[in-house]
């Protein structure tokens, strides 16, 4: 059956609306074409498999640019000759590549900028400066003049003139020392100098050597500490030497200090018709030196040693001084200590064996004769041990024990007493350091000594030993020292002398070059067995003017007092000295 007329017309209208957009362009192209249409011809280039067959080499997108040589591997291969003999084609040698270096990518030094490395050694491009901006200078080398206090900079706006605070009171130094050289690594910051006028010293190999010499002159109102003072002009010569090793391991330190006190006037040989208790010549030497060594066997085990020497005389006013002397007899006390130091984590053990000898010279009397002091010579053998524990940083308690035996050259002394003895001490204390403000060591204990002669009682007493340094401020330092010793004596019936000394000292810097020192010393001398007790007081003040590191000017004023329970043994004396210290 056929469709209705209405439905047929509707289908025709839909077809025309769909085909009209396609027919209009085709009719326009047909109308505008001026020539006959031609089909594309088939050529052999369309089937050529070689590179560049579809386009000429001049229009290839991968063509070589000018100035870049062509590598042999990039050249187009040569087509084989179809008329050539196949046997000759197989025997043809390959092309040589000797001297033909291929190039890849960009030429050399293409990426070097104005500040980078240039392998072609081309001239650098100078930086562009703003109008009026100072031109940067080249780095200083040997022989260059000192640079300005503030290095020139090329960053930021230019400055007309630096402020006065940047150049006031500043010593110009080379740029290499000031760290202003561009690219120079940071210098290690040096430790601040605690004493800007202290001795610097000289290095001899790996040893630092510091030496000094003090020359003083003045007046002493009572050089021999007589009950009735007799004064004399005085002079003092005091050298010192310090040698310290600068080794990574082990250590060696030598500290030598001495003095010689001379007096121009002689003391009276007799007083009230009797021999004077003081010598005629009051000159006295004094030397104290020691050499300490340490051998680091391992990190926790060390061997220690010490050599020591003391040259001195009996103190003026002492009952050990003979009557009718021409000069003071000099004694020498020398010895050594060999020991070890072992650390167990926080626990430390130190021990050593000691050997010492004390020997006196003969006494020269005013009548020209001599008197032997061999009965005062003795050897001492002993040992000391110390046990400490590092409780916390800055606090280290310890226990120390010492024992010794004294054997005299002669069994009995000039008064018939047998003075060989055994003794020692035990003390407990602690060393501490509280943020560098209060440092030191203090201990208390008990000491005792027994003699072979039953007529001599046991010498015993309470002892204190300490050394404290208090940095009250940057200009003021307070020091406190205390010590207890047991000394031999020639007083008949006395076992020995228990000597206790307490000293306090204050150092104050008015300026770095002007220092005032005040010192007070109090001491007690207990002659056990004779009920004699002496008390000493000493007030001393010093004013030091430091010209430079090598020359100091020093003034000293000291007043000494001796109060004795023995009638006629008390004395006083005042010393005034002005001198200069030379050091290096």
């Amino acid at each position: 059956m056929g469709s209705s007329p209405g439905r047929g017309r509707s289908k025709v209208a839909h077809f025309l609306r769909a085909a009209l957009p396609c027919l209009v362009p085709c009719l326009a192209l047909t109308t505008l074409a001026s020539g006959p249409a031609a089909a594309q011809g088939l050529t052999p280039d369309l089937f050529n498999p070689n590179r560049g067959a579809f386009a000429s080499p001049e229009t290839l997108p991968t063509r070589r640019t000018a100035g870049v040589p062509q590598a042999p591997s990039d050249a187009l291969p040569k087509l084989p000759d179809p008329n050539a003999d196949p046997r000759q084609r197989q025997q043809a040698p390959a092309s040589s590549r000797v001297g033909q270096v291929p190039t890849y990518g960009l030429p050399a030094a293409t990426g070097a900028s104005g500040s980078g490395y240039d392998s072609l050694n081309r001239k650098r491009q100078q930086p562009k400066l703003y109008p009026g901006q100072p031109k940067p200078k080249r780095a200083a080398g040997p022989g260059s003049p000192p640079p300005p206090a503030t290095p020139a900079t090329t960053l930021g706006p230019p400055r007309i003139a630096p402020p006065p605070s940047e150049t006031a009171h500043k010593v110009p130094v080379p740029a290499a020392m000031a760290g202003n050289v561009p690219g120079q690594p940071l210098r290690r910051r040096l430790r601040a100098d605690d004493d800007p006028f202290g001795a610097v010293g000289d290095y001899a190999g790996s040893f630092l050597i510091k030496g000094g010499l003090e020359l003083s002159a003045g007046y002493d109102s009572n050089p021999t500490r007589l009950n009735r003072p007799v004064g004399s002009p005085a002079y003092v010569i005091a050298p010192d030497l310090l040698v310290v090793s600068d080794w990574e391991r082990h250590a060696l330190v030598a500290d030598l200090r001495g003095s010689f006190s001379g007096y121009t006037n002689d003391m009276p040989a007799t007083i009230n018709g009797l021999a004077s208790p003081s010598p005629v010549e009051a000159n006295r030497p004094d030397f104290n030196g020691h050499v300490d060594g340490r051998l680091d066997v391992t990190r926790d085990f060390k061997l220690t040693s010490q050599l020591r020497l003391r040259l001195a005389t009996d103190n003026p006013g002492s009952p050990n001084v003979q009557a009718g002397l021409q000069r003071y007899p000099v004694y020498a006390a020398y010895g050594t200590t060999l020991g070890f130091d072992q650390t167990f984590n926080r626990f430390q053990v130190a021990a050593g064996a000691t050997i010492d000898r004390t020997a006196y010279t003969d006494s020269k009397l005013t009548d020209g004769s001599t008197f032997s002091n061999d009965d005062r010579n003795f050897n001492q053998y002993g040992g000391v041990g110390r046990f400490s524990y590092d409780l916390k940083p800055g606090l280290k308690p310890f226990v120390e024990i010492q024992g010794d035996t004294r054997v005299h050259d002669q069994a009995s002394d000039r008064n018939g007493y047998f003075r060989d003895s055994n003794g020692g001490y035990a003390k407990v204390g602690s060393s501490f350091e509280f943020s560098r403000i209060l440092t030191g060591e203090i201990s208390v204990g008990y000491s005792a000594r027994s003699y072979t002669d039953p007529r001599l009682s046991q010498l015993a007493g309470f002892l204190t030993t300490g050394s404290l340094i208090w940095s009250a401020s940057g200009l003021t330092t307070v020091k406190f020292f205390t010590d207890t010793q047991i000394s031999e004596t020639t007083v008949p019936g006395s076992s020995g002398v228990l000597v206790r000394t307490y000293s306090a000292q204050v150092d104050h810097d008015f300026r770095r070059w002007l220092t005032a020192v005040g010192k007070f010393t109090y001491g007690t001398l207990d002659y056990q067995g004779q009920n004699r007790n002496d008390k000493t007081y000493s007030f001393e003040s010093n004013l030091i003017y430091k010209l430079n590191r090598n020359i100091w000017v020093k003034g000293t004023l000291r007043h000494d007092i001796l109060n004795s329970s023995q009638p006629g043994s008390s004395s006083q004396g005042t010393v005034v000295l002005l001198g200069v210290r030379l050091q290096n």
Side-chain angles (χ1 to χ4, degrees), residues 370-389:
T370 59
F371 185 85
S372 176
N373 291 312
D374 291 344
D375 60 333
R376 303 184 66 181
N377 301 341
F378 66 91
N379 297 328
Q380 177 175 305
Y381 312 94
V384 59
R386 180 165 177 157
F387 309 91
S388 59
Y389 183 78

Side-chain angles (χ1 to χ4, degrees), residues 60-83:
L60 285 176
T62 58
R63 68 185 183 278
R64 291 285 178 176
T65 58
V68 180
Q70 186 177 13
S73 59
D74 295 337
L76 296 175
K78 185 178 179 181
L79 297 177
D81 187 5
N83 300 324

Side-chain angles (χ1 to χ4, degrees), residues 235-281:
Y235 62 91
V236 179
I237 303 174
D240 59 84
L241 178 65
L242 178 64
V243 181
V244 181
S245 64
D246 188 11
W247 301 335
E248 183 178 357
R249 295 183 59 194
H250 320 303
L252 183 64
V253 179
D255 189 0
L256 311 177
R257 302 177 184 274
S259 66
F260 179 83
S261 301
Y263 302 91
T264 59
N265 295 345
D266 292 339
M267 301 295 106
T270 60
I271 298 178
N272 298 329
L274 301 177
S276 174
S278 68
V280 175
E281 300 177 8

Side-chain angles (χ1 to χ4, degrees), residues 2-14 17:
S3 61
S4 62
R7 184 177 300 273
R9 287 193 297 269
S10 177
K11 293 182 179 181
V12 173
H14 283 291
R17 280 197 297 267

Side-chain angles (χ1 to χ4, degrees), residues 437-480:
I437 297 178
L438 182 62
T439 60
E441 177 180 303
I442 189 170
S443 61
V444 295
Y446 187 81
S447 178
R449 179 165 295 278
S450 301
Y451 295 84
T452 57
D453 196 325
R455 295 172 294 175
L456 300 176
S457 61
Q458 185 186 43
L459 179 61
F462 180 76
L463 62 87
T464 58
T465 305
S467 172
L468 302 179
I469 301 177
W470 175 36
S471 300
S473 67
L475 301 176
T476 305
T477 303
V478 181
K479 302 177 182 179
F480 178 77

